[in-house]
Amino acid sequence: MIGALSGNVIEKDFSSCLIDVNGVGYEVLIPLSTFDKLPLDSGRVTLYIHTAVREDAITLFGFASKEEKKLFQQLIGVSGVGGKLALNVLSAMPVSSFCAAVASGDAKSLSRINGVGKRTAERLIVELKDKLSDIDPAAAPPVDNSAAADAAAALEQLGFRKDAVNKTVNALLAELAPAECTTENLIRAALLRLNF
């Protein structure tokens, strides 16, 4: 399994590039976001690679960042989403924007992507909502319990970032017994975590 390639770009277009690695040319399919980061001339590049193996083909998908590769792998895990559609998603939206759209349930923004209809957009939200916070911490879902919402608001007023607050408070809600999830307890426990 090829995980990354480092070499010189021989050819490139908006959807693929040919990379020479010690005399062997690898054809790699890429999103537009990765094309933008390729060297102008035939310079050296390192791409993170996802290798797709089928009976009739081995296809290499390349990405400029680990986050793009992780998101691609999550996308192709969604039923009905193949490599081509996953590349369309990455070409249409930055990783952080996609993660934010999924976290907020914004099907309208997602359905504007070429090949993503309303039904696919809703499927992406349902299947990926809880899987993107390790790719983009800002994608941590908002807190939905009134004591937790009050605690989160208080922590934000103390100067902590919203994404860090939501992630921490949601983690505490999952760990603590319901009776312990008072606003005061959540603030105290979150402060201990956020200050380290």
Side-chain angles (χ1 to χ4, degrees), residues 163-182:
D163 58 324
V165 166
N166 285 354
K167 197 170 183 181
T168 304
V169 172
N170 280 326
L172 288 168
L173 286 174
E175 293 167 22
L176 298 173
E180 295 177 293
C181 292
T182 64

Side-chain angles (χ1 to χ4, degrees), residues 139-158:
V143 291
D144 60 356
N145 157 320
S146 61
D150 291 344
L155 291 161
E156 283 177 55
Q157 285 180 345
L158 290 171

Side-chain angles (χ1 to χ4, degrees), residues 72-83 85-86 89 115-128 131:
F72 176 85
Q73 291 172 324
Q74 291 286 2
L75 284 165
I76 60 174
V78 173
S79 55
V81 178
L85 183 54
V89 170
V116 177
K118 186 181 178 194
R119 201 175 275 171
T120 305
E122 288 168 354
R123 194 180 317 123
L124 288 170
I125 290 166
V126 169
E127 293 194 31
L128 296 179
K131 298 179 179 175

Side-chain angles (χ1 to χ4, degrees), residues 22-119:
N22 299 325
V24 179
Y26 292 90
E27 187 172 350
V28 183
L29 301 179
I30 56 172
L32 202 52
S33 52
T34 295
F35 173 81
D36 290 340
K37 295 179 180 76
L38 292 177
L40 292 175
D41 300 316
S42 58
R44 193 161 177 79
V45 70
T46 297
L47 293 180
Y48 296 97
I49 301 294
H50 172 81
T51 308
V53 180
R54 293 198 325 243
E55 283 181 26
D56 57 343
I58 296 175
T59 308
L60 303 179
F61 296 92
F63 308 95
S65 70
K66 288 180 184 176
E67 290 73 26
E68 284 182 339
K69 180 182 174 181
K70 282 183 186 175
L71 179 53
F72 176 85
Q73 291 172 324
Q74 291 286 2
L75 284 165
I76 60 174
V78 173
S79 55
V81 178
K84 187 177 177 187
L85 183 54
L87 287 181
N88 282 355
V89 170
L90 286 163
S91 293
M93 294 179 104
V95 171
S96 58
S97 299
F98 178 83
C99 291
V102 169
S104 64
D106 186 0
K108 193 173 181 182
S109 292
L110 297 177
S111 61
R112 289 192 197 113
I113 299 168
N114 184 27
V116 177
K118 186 181 178 194
R119 201 175 275 171

